[in-house]
Amino acid sequence: MKTELMSANYAAARAVMSARVEVVPAYPITPATTIPEQIALLNETGQWPGQFIRVESEHSAMFACIGASSTGARTFTATSSNGLLLMDEGLHWATAARLPIVLANINRSISPSWNIHVTHDDSMSKATSGWIQFYVSSVDEFYHTIIQAFKLAEDERVLMPVMVNADGFVLSHTLSTYDYLEPEEVDKFLPPYKPPHWVMDPENPVSHGNIVFPEHYQEFRYAMHEGTHNAMKVYEEVEREYKKLFGKYFGGPIDCYKCDDAEVVFTSQGSVAAEAKDAIDELREEGYKVGNARMRMIRPFPVDRIRELGSRVKGFASLDRSVSYGYGGPVANDIRATMYNTKHRPIIKSYIGGLGGRDMTVPDIKEVILDTVKAVETGETGPEETWHDLR
Amino acid sequence: MVNEVNIDPKSRADMPTTSYSKPVIGATGKTGSWRTFTPKIDYDECSRCRTCWLHCPEAVITLDEDGTPHIDLDYCKGCGCCAEVCPKKCIAMIRVGFDEEESA
Amino acid sequence: MVATKDMPLKEYVLKGNAACAGCQDMVALRHAHKALEGNVIQVVPACCTSVVQGLWPKSGLGIPVLNTAFPAAAATASGVRAALAAKGKDDTTVMVWAGDGGTFDIGIQALSGAFERRTDFLYVCYNNQVYSNTGTQRSGGTPLHAKTTTTWLGKKEPEKLLDFIVAMHEPVYQATANTAYPRDLYDKFLKAKEIRGPKFIHIFLPCPQAWNYPVEKGVELGKLAVETGYWIQWERVGTEFTLGRQSKRFQDPEKRKPIEEFLKMQGRFSHLFRPERQDAKIQELQDYVQYRWDLLMKTLA
């Protein structure tokens, strides 16, 4: 393992090299653009020997991924925002075809109006598609989670694609030191992809994706659901092995900080979750029993971990950098749904903020947490959701 | 965990991870039942030119080494293209149920 | 041209599939695959060919088929080609088999992109001039005055001149073919298989459902399209143009049959003859024949 100073996007390009990805179709979109740029350079200079396809749209990027993965190649792409939305048909195609494609999504606001900064609306809108979804908080975590994602996606109990999300600019364009692995080191963890069920091969002709009538369609959908569901357990094994081999561990589906004796925990996705550690430290110093639950994985949803946490705390302060328009914060909603079928009923407050790249600083996070602390003390649940810093 | 495709699945356990299919003759059953007209080759007239084989959309015509055509009536949909293209006009299209030999 | 007796007997179109009786797409598939001899991965966007395969878990085509989304055939094929390249399996033909809707309309961006990238694949558009799979709606390939279920009184615009759009992408091989001439079609696939780079074959095929003609008349109609000069058989290797032998004599307008003979066999043009004869509209279609010949001979020949 070596260390270098890079942005998350350059680290993602290195992950492609480290994981011996065979095919990358990609289309430029800010702020993901420097990923395909760097992959092109690695390819042209012979450092990455795979096939780079300079497609003419994101829709074509995802379908070129589908063509390549269907033919048995390890496949990766990267995009953002409107690009992810243009891929939509392909995103759903990839899950039903059970293709272990890994996609780095650099979270960016959806247009209009044009805004290239972070909002999680792009990836959150795909929460029902079957894609396994991670949110990361550092360059190091981004790099290693991409490598782990291939192992997870290609596991025959899973066989579902994985989206690794990183905040636009805050991570994509900000330099940070991170530890990387040579392909020879990763080989120990990630063997070459062997499609376990079907592949396009003239020696063994099969047809993929022709008509399925109602008699069987539902069963295939159940199998997809099972695949994504299994990812929770399989990821535990993946992380254990990764830690053993490389000493890297990012905290499972929910990375908890000072949650053991906490009365209120703050949940969030992406880079805010890293910032939140400082807020927790300051509040602890001020005497509040608070913790930080960084949501790394939102699909499959970590139901058991949330229920375990929910059985010990009095309140969740759940921040979404995204909106389910007309019904609050998407992850807050999931946490509420998860807790409903238990005997524990902590107060679960939904906060929406940091949209369009607006800063969520330590004082902002503290304000959110203290609002929930107050709700716990008074027993007043307050509004359905609270838009933080709404002018 | 990962099932092979089973041509006749009885339950979820018999189904593969995803919906891939294997090539088989009769993917849509015995399509000969679709016919309203049945081709009948007059072998005395047939010149073994293979034109019927060339134009058959269904691949239901097989050829002997000398080019003698045989139509698989289990699958022939009765489109009549063979009769149309036959240079000898020696393929008759006979309404199903009207063939004297068939009913005899 | 190949003699019929020299064509391979092995069938890759399997009998008992779900195609309509008399479907000319199956004639095209039969002879294309006889030429490719099974060493192919076929990408199929939404179109009739995605249906004729039949129902899961069975397939009526004895070749690997990757069904894909309507706009995505050429992009999917790009991925297949890249995966084969990554695995060093370069001798397999990657072939798109798409209808006119999936090519002229919704798939044209991906087609353009894949050709510009010089993808080594063969794109086949089998053109029955209508969205037949969804129930015969007009496409960019539907000719002027043809009735469809979205142009009940006849289409008001002529078809897109797709061959010219493709030609401007400078494919290494480009040809038109017609299911009425299966041996010629076979030869063209044989030739395409040996050339590396982006290739395009545009196949004219009558559809008994959409065109509303007796199912057995597919070959006759295909031939009439050539004999009236409406469909031109040609081939281009790089920039070397050859007028097909079936079309050669019809370069002379005097030798052509009147377009009317092609039109009046089809229900989709019946309104041009009944209840009253629409001379002006028939003449428009007649004039369009010469317009296309002129354009072809001036630009691509």
Side-chain angles (χ1 to χ4, degrees), chain C residues 6-69:
Chain C
D6 295 331
M7 293 171 80
L9 293 176
K10 182 163 180 181
E11 299 289 352
Y12 299 89
V13 166
L14 306 176
K15 52 195 173 187
N17 56 61
C20 303
C23 175
Q24 296 296 300
D25 180 27
M26 304 319 270
V27 178
L29 281 165
R30 273 186 70 210
H31 296 294
H33 284 295
K34 281 175 189 291
L36 300 173
E37 294 183 295
N39 192 7
V40 59
I41 293 172
Q42 176 169 310
V43 176
V44 178
C47 62
C48 283
T49 306
S50 33
V51 176
V52 299
Q53 295 161 45
L55 300 181
W56 178 85
K58 300 170 183 173
S59 167
L61 296 177
I63 39 146
V65 177
L66 186 56
N67 289 292
T68 192

Side-chain angles (χ1 to χ4, degrees), chain A residues 104-294:
Chain A
N105 182 53
I106 305 300
N107 289 113
R108 164 187 149 178
S109 312
I110 291 167
S111 309
S113 52
W114 292 119
N115 178 312
I116 55 175
H117 300 281
V118 57
T119 302
H120 293 161
D121 281 357
D122 51 4
S123 51
M124 287 295 169
S125 78
K126 296 327 307 156
T128 60
S129 66
W131 279 72
I132 295 155
Q133 280 201 34
F134 288 97
Y135 289 78
V136 303
S137 299
S138 72
V139 173
D140 196 52
E141 186 186 6
F142 194 40
Y143 169 84
H144 293 286
T145 306
I146 290 170
I147 295 172
Q148 292 176 345
F150 284 107
K151 180 90 167 187
L152 178 63
E154 292 168 10
D155 190 289
E156 65 176 41
R157 293 165 291 179
V158 177
L159 284 175
M160 289 298 263
V162 179
M163 188 185 298
V164 185
N165 293 285
D167 288 357
F169 292 102
V170 181
L171 288 174
S172 68
H173 286 64
T174 306
L175 299 187
S176 167
T177 53
Y178 78 105
D179 302 321
Y180 69 90
L181 300 159
E182 295 298 344
E184 295 73 24
E185 296 175 273
V186 177
D187 286 343
K188 287 179 279 181
F189 169 74
L190 188 66
Y193 170 49
K194 281 205 196 80
H197 56 332
W198 63 277
V199 69
M200 285 294 118
D201 177 10
E203 302 292 319
N204 179 29
V206 299
S207 168
H208 185 268
N210 61 348
I211 299 170
V212 174
F213 268 10
E215 288 89 324
H216 296 110
Y217 184 86
Q218 186 163 308
E219 282 65 30
F220 285 121
R221 294 285 138 172
Y222 182 78
M224 286 164 63
H225 178 63
E226 255 185 338
T228 301
H229 210 264
N230 289 345
M232 187 60 70
K233 185 184 168 303
V234 174
Y235 187 59
E236 254 178 58
E237 299 170 19
V238 167
E239 271 197 309
R240 205 177 304 133
E241 190 186 348
Y242 206 85
K243 188 180 179 186
K244 203 174 123 202
L245 284 170
F246 309 121
K248 287 278 177 187
Y249 178 71
F250 298 100
I254 304 176
D255 177 24
C256 288
Y257 178 70
K258 299 190 176 171
C259 288
D260 287 351
D261 63 339
E263 288 178 355
V264 169
V265 289
F266 175 74
T267 76
S268 66
Q269 298 71 237
S271 57
V272 167
E275 197 85 358
K277 273 187 167 182
D278 292 342
I280 297 298
D281 286 342
E282 287 185 21
L283 286 168
R284 282 269 174 181
E285 269 176 38
E286 291 163 30
Y288 296 100
K289 284 184 150 183
V290 291
N292 184 34
R294 187 167 69 92

Side-chain angles (χ1 to χ4, degrees), chain C residues 8-215:
Chain C
L9 293 176
K10 182 163 180 181
E11 299 289 352
Y12 299 89
V13 166
L14 306 176
K15 52 195 173 187
N17 56 61
C20 303
C23 175
Q24 296 296 300
D25 180 27
M26 304 319 270
V27 178
L29 281 165
R30 273 186 70 210
H31 296 294
H33 284 295
K34 281 175 189 291
L36 300 173
E37 294 183 295
N39 192 7
V40 59
I41 293 172
Q42 176 169 310
V43 176
V44 178
C47 62
C48 283
T49 306
S50 33
V51 176
V52 299
Q53 295 161 45
L55 300 181
W56 178 85
K58 300 170 183 173
S59 167
L61 296 177
I63 39 146
V65 177
L66 186 56
N67 289 292
T68 192
F70 217 168
T76 309
S78 299
V80 173
R81 169 51 72 208
L84 289 173
K87 295 182 181 304
K89 289 192 216 159
D90 277 353
D91 63 323
T92 300
T93 299
V94 177
M95 177 166 76
V96 166
W97 195 271
D100 47 297
T103 305
F104 285 64
D105 299 341
I106 196 170
I108 199 164
Q109 176 183 311
L111 164 66
S112 177
F115 272 64
E116 185 269 336
R117 293 190 297 273
R118 313 307 290 166
T119 308
D120 177 21
F121 79 135
L122 170 59
Y123 192 110
V124 178
C125 172
Y126 66 102
N127 180 4
N128 59 13
Q129 307 190 320
V130 75
Y131 286 91
S132 45
N133 193 30
T134 43
T136 71
Q137 297 76 29
R138 68 90 93 179
S139 79
T142 302
L144 183 66
H145 301 317
K147 281 193 291 190
T148 70
T149 56
T150 48
T151 56
W152 296 95
L153 304 179
K155 195 182 174 217
K156 292 194 170 67
E157 311 82 14
E159 64 270 41
K160 200 184 274 189
L161 298 171
L162 181 76
D163 291 323
F164 298 92
I165 296 170
V166 173
M168 291 306 110
H169 289 74
E170 303 182 296
V172 287
Y173 178 77
Q174 185 174 5
T176 63
N178 181 322
T179 46
Y181 307 98
R183 291 187 297 140
D184 172 73
L185 185 145
Y186 170 86
D187 279 351
K188 282 165 175 163
F189 279 84
L190 216 52
K191 193 178 278 186
K193 155 171 105 163
E194 298 304 329
I195 306 174
R196 312 305 297 266
K199 299 166 283 285
F200 189 82
I201 297 181
H202 186 182
I203 305 175
F204 179 84
L205 55 92
C207 169
Q209 306 298 322
W211 298 13
N212 196 1
Y213 66 82
V215 286

